[in-house]
Amino acid sequence: MVPLNYYLILGALLFSVGALGVILKRNLITMFMSVELMLNSANLTFLAFAREWNQVSGQVLVFFVMVVAAAEAAVGLAIVIATYKNRKTVNADETASLRD
Amino acid sequence: MERWIFFILAAVTLAGAANVLAQRRAVHSALSLIVSLGALAGLYALLGAPFIAAIQVIVYSGAIMVLFLFVIMLLDPKSEAEEVDKNPGLIFVALPMVAFLALALFFLIRSAGTPEARPADGPSAIEAVGRALFTEYLLPFELTSVLILVAILGAIVMAKKKV
């Protein structure tokens, strides 16, 4: 059996990669994909603890995270499309009209 | 044996995730993310969660990523190719920051030690998940359908012709 810590470290690394993507990438769609990576690292952690403690609640929570992720992707991508229609760009730096 | 499967799947997951950042075109990033999510589904199965592994493939690698690809291909393909880094110095801030985050998590996990395993609460895997979903978590489960409905309406309103 693979120890719990291996899964947790993998989850931490995956979360870090996702965070790096959100910070570095300027394409709105790629930033969204990085957020999905971070959500998945949380899911991995949930499942690792669910197995460790033999609790089914972890799996149920992962199910809810996935539902929320699906809703988030639908609304978020609609926002990306609306942004593109209004500004003709998906670059996050060029949509910062509040900052300027 | 299980350990080897874990290491292979973990390597594929991390390589796919890193490739999401390395690619400059959003389509390539999305395809790489699908590989990463598929390997994660394998890890979920390895963790004794076949139901979650299945909906990971169906919902994540299937529905959500197809949605991403639809949007990428709906928008102008030229606009994603020219993703110029207007801020090249950002990587010198972001890399140490994220490296610190990763190291902090790593040492935190290492120092925490493994918790003692608790006794199982009933039969494992799919049957237990279904039972918990429809008894203990019935109200949140029903509320997710409302959430999905609101998300659909929100997506339609957002993406309509004139916002």
Side-chain angles (χ1 to χ4, degrees):
Chain A
M1 202 163 99
V2 184
L4 170 72
N5 286 2
Y6 287 22
Y7 285 104
L8 296 187
I9 288 168
L10 176 62
L13 286 176
L14 212 55
F15 188 88
S16 305
V17 173
L20 196 63
V22 174
I23 297 171
L24 279 183
K25 284 291 189 177
R26 297 272 55 93
N27 189 331
L28 282 175
I29 300 171
T30 323
M31 287 167 88
F32 253 113
M33 289 195 256
S34 304
V35 173
E36 301 291 333
L37 269 180
M38 289 158 84
L39 282 170
N40 265 285
S41 78
N43 283 353
L44 186 67
T45 311
F46 267 130
L47 285 181
F49 275 113
R51 186 200 61 172
E52 193 67 22
W53 279 329
N54 267 322
Q55 293 283 312
V56 95
S57 331
Q59 298 191 26
V60 177
L61 271 173
V62 170
F63 175 80
F64 288 133
V65 169
M66 279 181 177
V67 172
V68 173
E72 170 248 345
V75 176
L77 289 172
I79 292 175
V80 171
I81 289 180
T83 311
Y84 183 76
K85 274 183 183 160
N86 285 332
R87 294 165 186 271
K88 295 278 164 264
T89 179
V90 286
N91 192 314
D93 279 343
E94 291 164 17
T95 50
S97 56
L98 263 185
R99 193 176 57 192
D100 304 328
Chain B
M1 183 59 194
E2 196 190 329
R3 209 167 272 230
W4 279 109
I5 297 173
F6 170 81
F7 281 127
I8 291 168
L9 287 173
V12 173
T13 304
L14 281 178
N19 199 28
V20 171
L21 307 193
Q23 296 295 335
R24 299 199 76 77
R25 298 196 62 135
V27 185
H28 298 164
S29 292
L31 293 176
S32 176
L33 186 58
I34 293 175
V35 173
S36 189
L37 294 177
L40 265 173
L43 283 173
Y44 294 168
L46 204 61
L47 275 168
F51 172 65
I52 301 293
I55 61 171
Q56 168 88 359
V57 172
I58 294 167
V59 174
Y60 249 115
S61 321
I64 294 183
M65 289 319 293
V66 166
L67 197 63
F68 268 95
L69 284 175
F70 264 145
V71 171
I72 292 167
M73 290 169 181
L74 199 67
L75 303 182
D76 188 13
K78 258 177 286 161
S79 63
E80 6 124 355
E82 37 135 6
E83 189 196 305
V84 221
D85 277 334
K86 287 225 182 91
N87 211 342
L90 195 61
I91 193 160
F92 296 111
V93 185
L95 264 184
M97 230 171 86
V98 173
F100 177 75
L101 173 69
L103 280 177
L105 284 171
F106 180 80
F107 285 112
L108 195 70
I109 290 163
R110 267 184 54 139
S111 66
T114 31
E116 293 138 52
R118 289 223 220 120
D121 53 357
S124 86
I126 299 174
E127 190 192 330
V129 176
R131 200 173 293 279
L133 214 50
F134 286 102
T135 54
E136 202 178 340
Y137 296 94
L138 183 63
L139 182 64
F141 179 73
E142 294 296 339
L143 284 179
T144 55
S145 52
V146 180
L147 177 73
I148 294 281
L149 182 66
V150 172
I152 292 169
L153 289 178
I156 291 171
V157 170
M158 286 282 182
K160 243 169 53 179
K161 197 117 180 91
K162 207 77 192 129
V163 183

